[in-house]
Amino acid sequence: MAKIKRAAVIGAGVMGAAIAGHLANAGIRTLLLDIVPRELSEKEKAAGLSLADKSVRNRLARTGVERLYKEKPAPLFHRRVAERIELGNLEDDLPRLAEMDWVVEAVVENLSIKQDLFARIEKVWQSGTIISSNTSGISIQNMVKACSPEFRSHFLGTHFFNPPRYMKLLEIIPTKDTDASIVAEMKAFAEDVLGKGVVFAKDTPNFIANRIGVYGLAITFQKMLEEGLGPDEVDAVTGRAMGRPKSATFRTLDLVGLDTFIHVSDNVRENVDDPAEKQAFSIPELLRTMVDKGWLGAKSGQGFFKKVKGEKGSEILALDPATGEYRPRKKLKAPSLEMAKRAKSKSEQLQALVYADDVAGRLAWHITKKVLLYSAARIPEIADDIVSVDRAMRWGFNWDLGPFEVWDAIGVEKSVARMRAEGETIPPLVEELLAKGATSFYQQQLDHDRAFYLGGQFRQVEEHPKSISLARLKQQGKVVQSNSGASLIDIGDEVLCLEFHSPNNAIGTDIIQMVNTAVKEVSTNWRGLVIGNQGSHFCVGANLMLILMEAQDQNWPELDLMVRQFQKTMGSLRTMDRPVVVAPFGMNLGGGVEISLPADRMQASAETYMGLVETGVGLIPGGGGNKEMLLRLTADIDPRDSIRLQNSVNKVFETIAMAKVSTSAAEAEEYGYLRKGIDGVSINQDHLLYDAKEQVLALARTGYRPPEPQKIPVVGETGYYTLRLGAYSMLQSGYISEHDYKIADKLAYVLSGGTVPAGTLVDEQYLLDIEREAFLSLAGEPKSQQRMQHMLTKKKPLRN
């Protein structure tokens, strides 16, 4: 793993540039190459350039990097990481591949072009450099069949999913010639440095995820046409109701691109022998007609859906397959969809849907049945085991459950009996499982480890040594304390983890109680505390409904007590005599940030979207967030340095007043939520709790002492008026409303320390008191209550 420090990506198209971007995200210096342009652009002609100029020769690589700055969602953690990408071209810079540790090919999906490229690469290649192809389905072995045995021993497939920054799956496809040590090295590098979930695939058409995923899309398309349904009606079934992404089937196809889907589907059809499978991947005439018309999906502005402007604003229309015209979207209604929504588990959800005798249930059953049978029939052709298939579909297509996990969820015996009754052929793997007397593909063993069926027996599912599963630890009886909102779990090495499990991980009285319990328990019996969980997001903030109810009832003593307790509890985390490390990931907003800031360290996921967003609901941070941000940004400032002090306070004011939310851990560092050189970042979220625990242990080993209470320099009255002036200018320009200005005024007062003289050193409790007063004052404002109500009902901020 340590060997891969420099990489090259060949091909600066959408995928190649994005791979280079993610390598840069991971700290890898990367050379991005593409062909030399044969003609000057109009801009180059106007600048008087020639085809010999370096900027012209590197134009395609430069264009690829420039695209990274514009794409949404952003391929880069931060714009500055692109500085790690060096531009070049395949004529001038090909010899530099000898300097690289890893070379990734990402050129057009054409076998002969790839073969020619690898022949050229081999001429400059140095033994030890790993070479891989990012193809989505072309034979890996055939690409290098004319190359030397040594070159082939260093060659394999590395299929990234798009966009590489966000998609967890990396399919590694070794050939019969690939050196086993290189396969192991690439797996470790991909998991630990690139943050990927690795699945080993066979060198078969479209590998694992695209083979099964595209099959599922194809049979769904065919069923839509048979049933006379529209894409909007089908998507109502094949999205969250079936444990798939919200984009479901046809919105996914629009995002992928209909031309891309046809290319990937044709690749399977042309490279398999089974007539039934060829037929399954045949492209319906409607789809080819759409592509011929240029209706490619999102990239062309229309596909199965089309956004238009009408009298009432923008509207999304759906394609009517029967007429080929667009129409208003329809909402499919079926009892099974409502039952699935109310289900308490994924198993109950799927069973409520697939066994229902209504239009949604029949559609869901047909799609599920076909995908399960196809997946089982493809083992061991595309993968050696069911775990690889399930992980590929979860990580590559964002399914909640992989095919064999779905089969267990709906009941193997029950579903197979129905399949047989419907005349389906049951694959040998499934027949063998049932013949052995087993009723599921996965089992929980006595030690609570997960086992999967393979070759007539159940074998333990291998997990990465840095993967800590809180669910498994709970099964093993490692819960020390628990209530409705949080649990304390023994994660080993005398370290406890405080896990949130309230709805949306929102902070309420139950979580506050468990934080206080954690402080006492850890101080007495443990080496340290990790605050982390494995929900969808770390924490969406405080329980807004509770705050609104108390404010509407004008129960100010109770609300004041709640805020005091929250502040006091956060303070106890800061002063506890054992190290505390918080492990945020995903959304970490409002109160979630306030529970993170007092910790000794944060170990954040690279994908952490962190922000003090209280102004969006008419409030300011009330749990010590203002004070903690001031502590961070003024820690090394001399109180007499008024200019530097004011600039730092201005930055805090802007960050909180504008409710800035980071789009990555790198940006969270820029905003001051994370501290450079102090807080850590885990690029692989599966390793987050392990990395946080290691931080705790490192602090404990070095004789941990809690921080002393600090005096904080404030900008005082003059700084307050400076902040107010900035907010007033925004009001006058129409950028903010009158109520926004009122909120900004309260925030300015707190962050400046009130009306004390500039440079005054105040204690932490003083800032907490004026923060709490401002919070309560705003909670009583009718317009703030309107904002809270709107957020709770509409899930978006109100501008009033």
Side-chain angles (χ1 to χ4, degrees):
M1 187 173 64
K3 293 178 184 177
I4 302 177
K5 296 177 181 178
R6 297 208 63 193
V9 177
I10 303 176
V14 172
M15 198 65 192
I19 292 171
H22 190 59
L23 293 179
N25 285 336
I28 305 297
R29 301 204 68 83
T30 303
L31 176 64
L32 180 61
L33 306 181
D34 210 310
I35 61 173
V36 174
R38 298 299 176 229
E39 295 180 353
L40 292 172
S41 67
E42 292 301 319
K43 187 176 179 180
E44 289 164 344
K45 290 176 183 177
L49 298 175
S50 73
L51 289 173
D53 285 298
K54 186 175 181 180
S55 64
V56 175
R57 295 176 73 78
N58 293 347
R59 185 216 304 157
L60 295 181
R62 184 179 66 255
T63 300
V65 172
E66 289 171 349
R67 194 186 309 115
L68 299 178
Y69 296 132
K70 301 172 185 176
E71 288 182 356
K72 299 293 182 182
L76 304 176
F77 288 160
H78 195 284
R79 288 177 66 92
R80 64 174 175 264
V81 305
E83 295 170 4
R84 299 188 183 115
I85 303 175
E86 187 179 355
L87 309 180
N89 66 76
L90 280 169
E91 292 182 15
D92 303 329
D93 301 294
L94 191 68
R96 295 189 57 195
L97 298 184
E99 307 166 10
M100 303 300 158
D101 304 310
W102 178 28
V103 177
V104 188
E105 170 271 313
V107 302
V108 64
E109 290 284 72
N110 180 291
L111 179 58
S112 63
I113 290 175
K114 291 178 186 289
Q115 289 172 334
D116 290 344
L117 176 61
F118 288 120
R120 292 177 63 193
I121 291 173
E122 186 174 15
K123 292 177 181 177
V124 300
W125 174 74
Q126 292 290 315
S127 182
T129 298
I130 299 170
I131 310 290
S132 72
S133 171
N134 180 59
T135 180
S136 60
I138 294 177
S139 170
I140 303 297
Q141 190 80 43
N142 285 345
M143 289 183 197
V144 292
K145 63 182 180 181
C147 295
S148 67
E150 188 177 9
F151 186 87
R152 295 200 304 268
S153 73
H154 287 70
F155 182 74
L156 70 167
T158 50
H159 180 212
F160 289 82
F161 275 63
N162 194 29
R165 168 183 167 180
Y166 300 96
M167 295 304 293
K168 182 174 179 177
L169 179 62
L170 178 69
E171 290 178 321
I172 289 183
I173 310 100
T175 72
K176 62 182 181 181
D177 300 315
T178 310
D179 188 290
S181 65
I182 286 174
V183 175
E185 183 179 343
M186 284 305 302
K187 179 178 186 292
F189 174 78
E191 291 173 336
D192 295 340
V193 180
L194 301 183
K196 295 298 172 186
V198 171
V199 165
F200 290 119
K202 302 287 188 71
D203 189 8
T204 54
N206 290 13
F207 312 128
I208 300 175
N210 277 344
R211 181 77 168 267
I212 293 171
V214 171
Y215 174 83
L217 294 171
I219 59 109
T220 303
F221 194 109
Q222 293 162 4
K223 191 65 175 175
M224 176 185 73
L225 298 179
E226 289 173 13
E227 299 295 328
L229 297 171
D232 45 350
E233 295 169 303
V234 173
D235 276 2
V237 179
T238 60
R240 293 307 303 146
M242 285 182 64
R244 311 276 181 84
K246 289 181 181 179
S247 56
T249 300
F250 293 99
R251 280 181 292 167
T252 295
L253 280 171
D254 274 358
L255 291 169
V256 169
L258 275 58
D259 54 341
T260 301
F261 170 76
I262 288 177
H263 170 78
V264 176
S265 189
D266 282 346
N267 187 57
V268 178
R269 183 173 50 80
E270 293 165 3
N271 288 283
V272 295
D273 299 321
D274 180 14
E277 190 170 9
K278 282 182 178 290
Q279 178 59 37
F281 284 92
S282 295
I283 304 300
E285 189 59 35
L286 171 62
L287 195 56
R288 293 205 185 272
T289 300
M290 291 172 69
V291 171
D292 290 342
K293 289 182 177 180
W295 298 359
L296 307 180
K299 60 187 173 185
S300 67
Q302 65 186 104
F304 288 101
F305 298 95
K306 179 182 180 181
K307 191 173 184 178
V308 297
K309 289 185 178 180
E311 295 179 1
K312 297 181 180 179
S314 295
E315 180 185 8
I316 297 176
L317 304 178
L319 184 74
D320 185 336
T323 66
E325 303 292 332
Y326 289 94
R327 56 159 174 76
R329 286 185 295 176
K330 298 177 183 178
K331 188 172 184 180
L332 185 69
K333 294 183 179 180
S336 61
L337 289 175
E338 295 303 316
M339 291 174 63
K341 283 182 183 177
R342 294 195 295 269
K344 295 181 180 179
S345 69
K346 291 176 182 176
S347 178
E348 288 179 9
Q349 174 185 331
L350 286 170
Q351 291 194 45
L353 187 60
V354 302
Y355 292 128
D357 188 18
D358 59 25
V359 61
R362 290 189 294 271
L363 178 64
W365 166 253
H366 177 82
I367 295 167
T368 300
K369 174 182 72 171
K370 290 296 186 182
V371 169
L372 298 188
L373 291 170
Y374 185 76
S375 299
R378 299 281 75 77
I379 290 180
E381 177 195 346
I382 64 174
D384 285 326
D385 55 70
I386 65 171
V387 178
S388 297
V389 172
D390 283 341
R391 286 174 171 171
M393 299 316 296
R394 282 192 282 109
W395 297 345
F397 276 73
N398 289 326
W399 292 6
D400 290 349
L401 301 174
F404 298 96
E405 293 165 326
V406 167
W407 218 326
D408 282 358
I410 66 173
V412 178
E413 289 181 304
K414 181 178 181 180
S415 60
V416 168
R418 180 174 173 180
M419 291 172 187
R420 285 194 179 115
E422 293 173 356
E424 300 289 353
T425 300
I426 308 303
L429 171 68
V430 186
E431 294 282 22
E432 179 187 289
L433 175 86
L434 294 173
K436 292 285 185 181
T439 58
S440 64
F441 288 98
Y442 291 93
Q443 289 183 356
Q444 293 296 132
Q445 297 181 326
L446 292 177
D447 58 2
H448 301 285
D449 281 329
R450 198 174 181 219
F452 69 99
Y453 184 77
L454 177 67
Q457 60 183 322
F458 281 87
R459 306 186 186 195
Q460 185 173 327
V461 176
E462 291 186 9
E463 302 288 354
H464 194 285
K466 291 184 180 180
S467 178
I468 293 176
S469 169
L470 295 180
R472 190 180 306 121
L473 290 171
K474 288 179 179 180
Q475 291 173 343
Q476 294 171 353
K478 299 295 185 179
V479 176
V480 175
Q481 296 267 6
S482 187
N483 65 21
S484 60
S487 297
L488 284 174
I489 303 168
D490 177 1
I491 57 174
D493 297 310
E494 300 178 69
V495 177
L496 278 189
C497 177
L498 172 60
E499 177 205 32
F500 303 160
H501 45 68
S502 62
N504 296 317
N505 287 341
I507 299 172
T509 54
D510 43 8
I511 286 181
I512 296 299
Q513 289 170 1
M514 193 54 66
V515 173
N516 287 321
T517 299
V519 170
K520 295 174 184 176
E521 174 68 23
V522 173
S523 292
T524 305
N525 300 311
W526 305 81
R527 298 176 73 182
L529 176 69
V530 169
I531 301 178
N533 63 77
Q534 292 173 327
S536 299
H537 298 283
F538 176 76
C539 180
V540 298
N543 188 328
L544 191 60
M545 175 63 80
L546 186 59
I547 295 169
L548 177 60
M549 289 172 57
E550 298 292 358
Q552 288 178 331
D553 291 343
Q554 298 187 12
N555 193 353
W556 303 119
E558 182 64 27
L559 189 55
D560 178 73
L561 179 61
M562 284 170 50
V563 179
R564 284 178 186 271
Q565 287 177 334
F566 190 20
Q567 290 179 337
K568 184 178 179 181
T569 300
M570 298 306 99
S572 68
L573 286 176
R574 171 177 281 280
T575 58
M576 188 170 70
D577 61 355
R578 297 288 188 274
V580 179
V581 176
V582 177
F585 62 92
M587 288 293 183
N588 184 25
L589 306 175
V593 177
E594 291 183 298
I595 214 168
S596 303
L597 293 174
D600 298 293
R601 297 283 189 276
M602 271 191 261
Q603 183 69 34
S605 166
E607 299 297 341
T608 299
Y609 318 124
M610 186 180 295
L612 292 165
V613 297
E614 287 83 353
T615 58
V617 290
L619 303 170
I620 67 167
N626 304 288
K627 181 261 293 184
E628 290 294 335
M629 289 295 283
L630 284 176
L631 267 173
R632 284 166 178 257
L633 272 75
T634 62
D636 61 344
I637 298 177
D638 188 322
R640 295 167 295 184
D641 190 345
S642 59
I643 295 176
R644 190 174 170 214
L645 184 60
Q646 184 69 56
N647 287 340
S648 292
V649 174
N650 290 351
K651 180 178 179 180
V652 176
F653 177 73
E654 181 181 318
T655 298
I656 299 176
M658 297 181 70
K660 289 186 176 181
V661 178
S662 70
T663 59
S664 64
E667 197 169 65
E669 186 180 284
E670 182 177 290
Y671 290 158
Y673 298 128
L674 296 177
R675 297 161 295 184
K676 189 172 184 178
I678 298 176
D679 296 317
V681 176
S682 298
I683 198 165
N684 191 326
Q685 194 168 301
D686 289 348
H687 303 173
L688 184 60
L689 292 180
Y690 175 90
D691 293 340
K693 184 175 80 167
E694 288 299 300
Q695 287 257 35
V696 167
L697 295 173
L699 288 167
R701 282 193 294 265
T702 53
Y704 174 78
R705 294 289 182 272
E708 298 286 339
Q710 295 184 42
K711 293 285 187 178
I712 304 170
V714 294
V715 293
E717 188 171 21
T718 56
Y720 168 49
Y721 288 119
T722 298
L723 296 177
R724 281 188 66 186
L725 180 61
Y728 184 73
S729 298
M730 296 177 75
L731 174 65
Q732 291 298 104
S733 65
Y735 189 76
I736 63 174
S737 68
E738 289 279 357
H739 193 56
D740 289 326
Y741 178 70
K742 181 175 285 189
I743 299 166
D745 180 49
K746 296 285 187 182
L747 178 63
Y749 186 84
V750 173
L751 292 177
S752 62
T755 55
V756 299
T760 300
L761 292 171
V762 301
D763 59 35
E764 296 180 36
Q765 189 58 51
Y766 169 79
L767 287 174
L768 289 174
D769 289 342
I770 62 173
E771 172 184 278
R772 188 177 65 258
E773 291 166 7
F775 180 92
L776 294 171
S777 172
L778 287 169
E781 291 284 341
K783 288 190 175 181
S784 287
Q785 293 178 14
Q786 289 171 14
R787 289 190 179 193
M788 286 186 267
Q789 186 72 52
H790 194 269
M791 179 61 74
L792 288 166
T793 56
K794 303 294 185 181
K795 307 300 181 187
K796 58 184 179 181
L798 171 68
R799 178 83 184 273
N800 62 352

